[in-house]
Amino acid sequence: QSVLTQPPSVSAAPGQKVTISCSGSNSNIGNNYVSWYQQLPGTAPKLLIYDNTERPSGIPDRFSGSKSGTSATLAITGLQTGDEADYYCGTWDSSLSAVVFGGGTKLTVL
Amino acid sequence: EVQLVQSGAEVKKPGESLKISCKGSGYSFTNYWIGWVRQMPGKGLDWMGIIYPGDSDTRYSPSFQGQVTISADKSISTAYLQWNSLKASDTAMYYCARRGSYWYFDLWGRGTLVTVSS
């Protein structure tokens, strides 16, 4: 059972938009920045979003992040088959004194 | 090139010890925290702990405190993750990752697969 809650799977057609939610509490998302990672099959995770909304250089603006209260959302527009991957949210938990991740969401591009 | 290069896959027996490594290059290794993340087969990401190679300040996740040892040798820009007595449940992929300015990881190694089986 992960501290952060994500839907196990989402799907959408190529070209469409999809959102992935990440729900937590005041000890984590509510008072700390959220990051998002993409893990393509058989590869290491890759940073997509940090500090709730910021994209590292090289990440296309099709990927965006937002946060409201104790929840965060990753949005992906203009879906491509190459976006099929597992997506994880992460943040610091002040009560646990630990980095916590969501359980991951598998994105299928139909 | 900025990168983290991890040591190769390991196959061990229960009760054996193991130390895996993560070598940073292309950036100032001593100025960034290096974390370790476990991924069990078919599962999500578990943060294990983190070390600041500049002074070896180390923090552990409560879930992994006492189970593993994280260390670093700044003279060779390398961080380590060590077990004294492996269990079958330690079978997983282990990633090292560089921490950015806050609690996120902006650079990841390719992972070291550890298999523990009798």
Side-chain angles (χ1 to χ4, degrees), chain B residues 3 34 41 45-47 55 64 67 75 86 88-90 101 106 109 114-115:
Chain B
Q3 61 181 346
I34 293 289
L45 307 175
D46 301 311
W47 181 73
D55 61 6
F64 290 92
Q67 307 305 307
S75 69
L86 286 160
S89 58
D90 293 317
S101 58
D106 64 354
V114 174
T115 303

mmCIF file of all heavy atoms in Angstrom, chain B residues 3 34 41 45-47 55 64 67 75 86 88-90 101 106 109 114-115:
data_model
loop_
_atom_site.group_PDB
_atom_site.id
_atom_site.type_symbol
_atom_site.label_atom_id
_atom_site.label_comp_id
_atom_site.label_asym_id
_atom_site.label_seq_id
_atom_site.Cartn_x
_atom_site.Cartn_y
_atom_site.Cartn_z
ATOM 1 N N GLN B 3 26.332 11.427 -16.158
ATOM 2 C CA GLN B 3 25.733 10.105 -16.035
ATOM 3 C C GLN B 3 26.079 9.446 -14.706
ATOM 4 O O GLN B 3 27.033 9.828 -14.033
ATOM 5 C CB GLN B 3 26.164 9.193 -17.185
ATOM 6 C CG GLN B 3 27.650 8.949 -17.273
ATOM 7 C CD GLN B 3 28.019 8.052 -18.475
ATOM 8 O OE1 GLN B 3 27.178 7.406 -19.099
ATOM 9 N NE2 GLN B 3 29.299 8.010 -18.788
ATOM 10 N N ILE B 34 23.043 11.562 -3.519
ATOM 11 C CA ILE B 34 22.763 10.368 -4.324
ATOM 12 C C ILE B 34 21.821 9.467 -3.525
ATOM 13 O O ILE B 34 22.125 9.094 -2.375
ATOM 14 C CB ILE B 34 24.035 9.583 -4.662
ATOM 15 C CG1 ILE B 34 24.925 10.392 -5.600
ATOM 16 C CG2 ILE B 34 23.670 8.229 -5.298
ATOM 17 C CD1 ILE B 34 24.402 10.542 -7.016
ATOM 18 N N PRO B 41 10.287 -6.969 -8.557
ATOM 19 C CA PRO B 41 9.729 -7.404 -9.848
ATOM 20 C C PRO B 41 8.251 -7.058 -10.009
ATOM 21 O O PRO B 41 7.423 -7.429 -9.167
ATOM 22 C CB PRO B 41 9.952 -8.918 -9.821
ATOM 23 C CG PRO B 41 11.130 -9.115 -8.926
ATOM 24 C CD PRO B 41 11.007 -8.067 -7.875
ATOM 25 N N LEU B 45 8.196 1.929 -7.083
ATOM 26 C CA LEU B 45 9.458 2.461 -6.595
ATOM 27 C C LEU B 45 9.427 2.633 -5.074
ATOM 28 O O LEU B 45 8.465 3.175 -4.523
ATOM 29 C CB LEU B 45 9.734 3.815 -7.256
ATOM 30 C CG LEU B 45 9.681 3.841 -8.782
ATOM 31 C CD1 LEU B 45 9.858 5.260 -9.292
ATOM 32 C CD2 LEU B 45 10.729 2.918 -9.380
ATOM 33 N N ASP B 46 10.513 2.200 -4.433
ATOM 34 C CA ASP B 46 10.653 2.338 -2.981
ATOM 35 C C ASP B 46 11.954 3.077 -2.685
ATOM 36 O O ASP B 46 13.030 2.585 -3.025
ATOM 37 C CB ASP B 46 10.704 0.973 -2.287
ATOM 38 C CG ASP B 46 9.471 0.144 -2.533
ATOM 39 O OD1 ASP B 46 8.355 0.673 -2.366
ATOM 40 O OD2 ASP B 46 9.618 -1.033 -2.899
ATOM 41 N N TRP B 47 11.855 4.219 -2.025
ATOM 42 C CA TRP B 47 13.048 4.981 -1.666
ATOM 43 C C TRP B 47 13.726 4.356 -0.463
ATOM 44 O O TRP B 47 13.095 4.113 0.569
ATOM 45 C CB TRP B 47 12.670 6.426 -1.369
ATOM 46 C CG TRP B 47 13.818 7.293 -1.007
ATOM 47 C CD1 TRP B 47 14.779 7.752 -1.857
ATOM 48 C CD2 TRP B 47 14.125 7.828 0.273
ATOM 49 N NE1 TRP B 47 15.667 8.550 -1.161
ATOM 50 C CE2 TRP B 47 15.294 8.616 0.140
ATOM 51 C CE3 TRP B 47 13.524 7.731 1.533
ATOM 52 C CZ2 TRP B 47 15.868 9.289 1.207
ATOM 53 C CZ3 TRP B 47 14.090 8.404 2.598
ATOM 54 C CH2 TRP B 47 15.253 9.169 2.431
ATOM 55 N N ASP B 55 30.257 14.996 2.436
ATOM 56 C CA ASP B 55 30.610 14.760 3.844
ATOM 57 C C ASP B 55 30.068 13.437 4.372
ATOM 58 O O ASP B 55 30.127 13.180 5.580
ATOM 59 C CB ASP B 55 30.100 15.906 4.718
ATOM 60 C CG ASP B 55 28.591 16.060 4.678
ATOM 61 O OD1 ASP B 55 27.911 15.209 4.066
ATOM 62 O OD2 ASP B 55 28.068 17.032 5.252
ATOM 63 N N PHE B 64 14.001 0.888 5.570
ATOM 64 C CA PHE B 64 15.259 0.228 5.220
ATOM 65 C C PHE B 64 16.358 0.442 6.262
ATOM 66 O O PHE B 64 17.429 -0.160 6.143
ATOM 67 C CB PHE B 64 15.736 0.728 3.850
ATOM 68 C CG PHE B 64 14.877 0.242 2.714
ATOM 69 C CD1 PHE B 64 13.813 0.996 2.261
ATOM 70 C CD2 PHE B 64 15.136 -0.976 2.112
ATOM 71 C CE1 PHE B 64 13.001 0.544 1.229
ATOM 72 C CE2 PHE B 64 14.339 -1.438 1.072
ATOM 73 C CZ PHE B 64 13.267 -0.666 0.632
ATOM 74 N N GLN B 67 18.689 -2.360 7.517
ATOM 75 C CA GLN B 67 18.661 -3.470 6.559
ATOM 76 C C GLN B 67 19.781 -3.357 5.533
ATOM 77 O O GLN B 67 20.243 -4.363 4.986
ATOM 78 C CB GLN B 67 17.310 -3.487 5.820
ATOM 79 C CG GLN B 67 16.090 -3.482 6.732
ATOM 80 C CD GLN B 67 16.123 -4.622 7.727
ATOM 81 O OE1 GLN B 67 16.280 -5.787 7.354
ATOM 82 N NE2 GLN B 67 15.980 -4.304 9.012
ATOM 83 N N SER B 75 36.545 10.264 -3.455
ATOM 84 C CA SER B 75 37.785 10.310 -4.237
ATOM 85 C C SER B 75 37.640 9.621 -5.591
ATOM 86 O O SER B 75 38.385 9.913 -6.529
ATOM 87 C CB SER B 75 38.938 9.676 -3.455
ATOM 88 O OG SER B 75 38.765 8.279 -3.330
ATOM 89 N N LEU B 86 21.932 -11.231 2.703
ATOM 90 C CA LEU B 86 20.834 -11.109 1.753
ATOM 91 C C LEU B 86 19.722 -12.106 2.027
ATOM 92 O O LEU B 86 19.943 -13.209 2.545
ATOM 93 C CB LEU B 86 21.354 -11.319 0.333
ATOM 94 C CG LEU B 86 22.173 -10.176 -0.250
ATOM 95 C CD1 LEU B 86 23.030 -10.659 -1.406
ATOM 96 C CD2 LEU B 86 21.271 -9.036 -0.691
ATOM 97 N N ALA B 88 15.939 -13.673 0.131
ATOM 98 C CA ALA B 88 15.276 -13.831 -1.161
ATOM 99 C C ALA B 88 14.432 -12.605 -1.489
ATOM 100 O O ALA B 88 14.302 -12.210 -2.655
ATOM 101 C CB ALA B 88 14.410 -15.090 -1.166
ATOM 102 N N SER B 89 13.882 -11.988 -0.470
ATOM 103 C CA SER B 89 13.027 -10.818 -0.678
ATOM 104 C C SER B 89 13.816 -9.566 -1.099
ATOM 105 O O SER B 89 13.220 -8.534 -1.419
ATOM 106 C CB SER B 89 12.225 -10.510 0.589
ATOM 107 O OG SER B 89 13.095 -10.292 1.680
ATOM 108 N N ASP B 90 15.141 -9.654 -1.105
ATOM 109 C CA ASP B 90 15.967 -8.543 -1.605
ATOM 110 C C ASP B 90 16.102 -8.584 -3.127
ATOM 111 O O ASP B 90 16.711 -7.691 -3.721
ATOM 112 C CB ASP B 90 17.356 -8.564 -0.964
ATOM 113 C CG ASP B 90 17.320 -8.256 0.519
ATOM 114 O OD1 ASP B 90 16.581 -7.329 0.908
ATOM 115 O OD2 ASP B 90 18.020 -8.953 1.287
ATOM 116 N N SER B 101 17.466 20.001 -6.648
ATOM 117 C CA SER B 101 17.486 21.042 -5.613
ATOM 118 C C SER B 101 16.454 20.799 -4.512
ATOM 119 O O SER B 101 16.523 21.404 -3.448
ATOM 120 C CB SER B 101 17.245 22.417 -6.235
ATOM 121 O OG SER B 101 16.005 22.434 -6.917
ATOM 122 N N ASP B 106 16.829 13.851 -10.637
ATOM 123 C CA ASP B 106 16.921 14.329 -12.011
ATOM 124 C C ASP B 106 17.845 13.508 -12.891
ATOM 125 O O ASP B 106 17.904 13.733 -14.097
ATOM 126 C CB ASP B 106 17.333 15.801 -12.041
ATOM 127 C CG ASP B 106 18.723 16.048 -11.468
ATOM 128 O OD1 ASP B 106 19.339 15.097 -10.943
ATOM 129 O OD2 ASP B 106 19.173 17.210 -11.525
ATOM 130 N N GLY B 109 20.705 6.133 -12.718
ATOM 131 C CA GLY B 109 21.492 5.072 -13.311
ATOM 132 C C GLY B 109 20.578 4.071 -14.003
ATOM 133 O O GLY B 109 19.349 4.134 -13.862
ATOM 134 N N VAL B 114 19.609 -7.427 -8.751
ATOM 135 C CA VAL B 114 20.115 -8.336 -7.727
ATOM 136 C C VAL B 114 19.130 -9.493 -7.592
ATOM 137 O O VAL B 114 17.940 -9.273 -7.341
ATOM 138 C CB VAL B 114 20.288 -7.614 -6.375
ATOM 139 C CG1 VAL B 114 20.675 -8.606 -5.284
ATOM 140 C CG2 VAL B 114 21.337 -6.508 -6.490
ATOM 141 N N THR B 115 19.641 -10.695 -7.782
ATOM 142 C CA THR B 115 18.830 -11.901 -7.645
ATOM 143 C C THR B 115 19.392 -12.727 -6.499
ATOM 144 O O THR B 115 20.585 -13.039 -6.480
ATOM 145 C CB THR B 115 18.843 -12.727 -8.934
ATOM 146 O OG1 THR B 115 18.383 -11.916 -10.025
ATOM 147 C CG2 THR B 115 17.949 -13.949 -8.809
#
